[in-house]
Amino acid sequence: MSTQEAGVDLSTPTGDEKRRFPAFTKKQTTTATVLALLAWTVAVFDYGLFGTLLPAMQDEFGWTAPEAYAINTWIAVGTAIVCFGIGPVIDRLGRRKGMMVTVGGTAVVSGLTAAIPTGLGFLSNGLLIFVRSFGGLGFSEQAVNATYMNEVYQVTEDEKKHKRPGFHYSFIQGGWPLGFLLASALALVFLPIFGWRALYLMATIPAFIIVFLISKKLKETPQFELHHRLTELEKSGKTEEAHALARSFGVEHSSTSPLKRIWEPELRRNTIVFSLAWILNFFGIAIFSVLGTSVLANAKGVELSTAFWLLIVINLLAYFGYVFHGWIGDKIGRKRTIIGGWIISGLSFAVMLSPLVESSFLIILTYGTGLFFLVGPYAAIQYYMAECYPVSCRATGLAFIGAMSQPGTIIGGALFTIVATAAGTGAAALWVGAVGTLLSGFMMMGAKHVDAVMREESPHDIPA
C-alpha cells in the first residue's frame, strides 16, 4: 500500500504535525447515498422473498406447517452465524469491498436458492438451510451502510449532510420497507405465472448491477485507509510510528482485534445494551412486521386478502417513519428518539389489540402508528451505533448487534407460538410483541453515547 492513497497522506508525520482527512465532494457523497439505498433495498428484496414465498415453497418441498417453521428457525440460526462473522471481515477488507461482498453474496444466494432441487428429503432441506443462511450477508448490508455512510458524512463537503447526517441516512435505511414492498409486489404479479424460482432469479440481476456500480463509482473512506495503514505498521512492528500517524489525524490507534475491542470497558456497556434491545425489539418485528397478516386476521378478524393490502399500504407509510426518526434524531438526539419511538410503538400495539378497538379505522390507525414507531427508529439506531464505535471496530460492532435480531426472531417466535397455543393470537401478540417492543425502549435508556468517537474522527475539528 502506498503512503498516499485515496488522497490520504499516510507518510510518517514530523513532530506535532496535524493533518485533515480529504473530503468527499458533494457528487461523491450523493453517489454514495444513492448506491447505499439501492444496495440495501436489493439486499432486503432477497431477504423478504423467503418469507413471502414460503407458502409456495412449502407446497413444492412437501413440508408440513411445523416442518416449515423448523426450517425457518434453522435458517435464522445460520443467518446469525453469518452476521456474527461478517463484521470483522468488513473491518479488514474495507467499507467499499464490504458492500460488494454483502450485495454480491446476496446475488449468489438468490441464484442458488432458485437451483435447489426438491424431492431429496433431508438433503434438499439441508441445502436450503445452508444456502439461505448466507442470506445473512444481505441482512448485514445495513451494518456496512451505516459504517460507510457515517464516515462519508463526517468528511463530506456537503454541509447539509454533514450537519444533519441522521436525516439523510434515514432515506437509506428506509430501503427495508421498500425491499419488502418490492418482494410483495413482484410475488403478487409473477408468482402465479412463473413460480417462486423465477422470482429468486429476478433478484440476482439488480444485485449484480449494484455490485458493478459500486466497484466503478465508490471510493474507500479516508478513515478506513488510515486504519488499514495503522494495522500494516502495527504488523511490521512499527508501533510508535502507527501511534504518531494516528495522533496526526487526531484519532486513537488500537491494536486490539475488532471482536475483542467491542467488549473493552469503554464499549462493553453499549454492546450489551444494544444487543439486548435488538433481541427484545425483534419480538415485535417478528410478530407485527413478519406475521402481520396473521395478527390482523386471527386477533382482529380482518379478512386475509384485506390484511395483505393493508400491510402493503402500512409498509409504504412506514418508509416515512424512517425519514421522521432520522430527522427528529438530529434535533433531539438519537437516543431519545429511539426510546420514545419504541415505547410509543409498544403502547400503540397494546391499544390495537384491546377489545375496545373494533372499527377498521381504529385498527388501521393503531397498527399503522405501531409499525411507524417500531421500524422508524432503526434509521436512528443504526447511525447512533456507528457513532458509538471507533473505526477499528465499527463494522464489527454493528454487524454483531445486528446479528442479535436472529435470536430475537427465534425466541420471540417460540414464545409467540407457546402463548398463542395456550391463550390465542391476540394474547400472544400483546404479551410477546407489544411488551417486548415496550421493554426494548426502556432497555435503550442504559446506552451511553461515546462523544469522543465523533470528535476524534471529525476533520472539521482538527486544525490544518
Side-chain angles (χ1 to χ4, degrees), residues 357-431:
V357 176
E358 295 182 352
S359 70
S360 297
F361 172 76
L362 287 177
I363 292 172
I364 295 170
L365 178 64
T366 51
Y367 195 100
T369 301
L371 202 62
F372 184 92
F373 287 102
L374 173 65
V375 300
Y378 277 92
I381 198 171
Q382 286 286 350
Y383 205 85
Y384 178 60
M385 292 190 304
E387 290 174 332
C388 290
Y389 288 98
V391 171
S392 60
C393 64
R394 182 169 288 150
T396 297
L398 268 65
F400 180 91
I401 294 161
M404 289 299 173
S405 61
Q406 301 309 304
T409 298
I410 296 165
I411 297 169
L415 291 174
F416 178 77
T417 302
I418 292 169
V419 178
T421 302
T425 300
L430 173 64
W431 293 108

Side-chain angles (χ1 to χ4, degrees), residues 83-359:
C83 288
F84 282 132
I86 194 64
V89 173
I90 296 165
D91 275 326
R92 285 177 171 81
L93 278 180
R95 316 326 187 189
R96 174 177 163 275
K97 289 181 181 177
M99 200 180 295
M100 292 171 65
V101 168
T102 54
V103 182
T106 297
V108 173
V109 167
S110 294
L112 290 177
T113 303
I116 293 173
T118 57
L120 300 180
F122 178 79
L123 181 59
S124 292
N125 296 348
L127 281 171
L128 183 67
I129 291 169
F130 178 77
V131 170
R132 290 307 309 170
S133 291
F134 283 91
L137 289 171
F139 189 80
S140 295
E141 210 284 319
Q142 63 181 328
V144 187
N145 271 352
T147 300
Y148 183 74
M149 296 313 302
N150 177 276
E151 293 172 6
V152 168
Y153 289 162
Q154 285 178 30
V155 299
T156 182
E157 292 178 344
D158 189 331
E159 284 301 317
K160 289 182 178 179
K161 290 184 174 65
H162 180 72
K163 291 179 179 178
R164 302 172 66 193
F167 173 68
H168 291 281
Y169 177 74
S170 67
F171 288 95
I172 297 171
Q173 191 61 23
W176 176 270
L178 294 182
F180 269 95
L181 281 173
L182 186 62
S184 299
L186 291 180
L188 191 65
V189 175
F190 295 112
L191 181 60
I193 303 172
F194 299 114
W196 63 268
R197 294 180 188 275
L199 283 160
Y200 276 113
L201 290 176
M202 289 180 191
T204 64
I205 300 171
F208 279 127
I209 292 173
I210 296 301
V211 171
F212 175 77
L213 291 174
I214 290 170
S215 69
K216 297 296 183 182
K217 300 293 184 180
L218 289 193
K219 70 173 186 176
E220 187 54 85
T221 65
Q223 295 95 320
F224 177 79
E225 296 290 2
L226 172 62
H227 166 65
H228 185 67
R229 178 60 178 163
L230 295 175
T231 302
E232 284 188 334
L233 290 172
E234 187 75 35
K235 288 180 178 178
S236 301
K238 301 177 181 178
T239 303
E240 288 304 316
E241 186 176 336
H243 284 287
L245 181 58
R247 282 195 301 272
S248 72
F249 282 96
V251 303
E252 181 183 345
H253 171 58
S254 174
S255 58
T256 307
S257 69
L259 198 55
K260 185 178 179 181
R261 181 91 167 91
I262 65 174
W263 294 103
E264 289 187 335
E266 69 271 24
L267 300 175
R268 183 192 303 136
R269 175 174 155 186
N270 274 348
T271 300
I272 294 171
V273 170
F274 287 142
S275 296
L276 292 175
W278 272 63
I279 289 173
L280 288 168
N281 192 257
F282 259 75
F283 287 11
I285 294 287
I287 292 166
F288 297 114
S289 183
V290 179
L291 299 176
T293 51
S294 298
V295 171
L296 288 171
N298 298 328
K300 305 303 294 184
V302 178
E303 290 290 333
L304 194 60
S305 57
T306 304
F308 179 76
W309 285 106
L310 283 178
L311 285 178
I312 289 181
V313 174
I314 289 171
N315 272 292
L316 183 60
L317 293 174
Y319 179 83
F320 297 98
Y322 289 92
V323 177
F324 170 78
H325 285 87
W327 170 77
I328 199 69
D330 285 332
K331 298 289 185 181
I332 67 172
R334 297 183 228 295
K335 179 180 173 179
R336 290 193 188 100
T337 298
I338 299 158
I339 293 169
W342 284 347
I343 289 175
I344 292 171
S345 175
L347 294 174
S348 297
F349 284 128
V351 171
M352 185 273 293
L353 292 163
S354 74
L356 298 176
V357 176
E358 295 182 352
S359 70

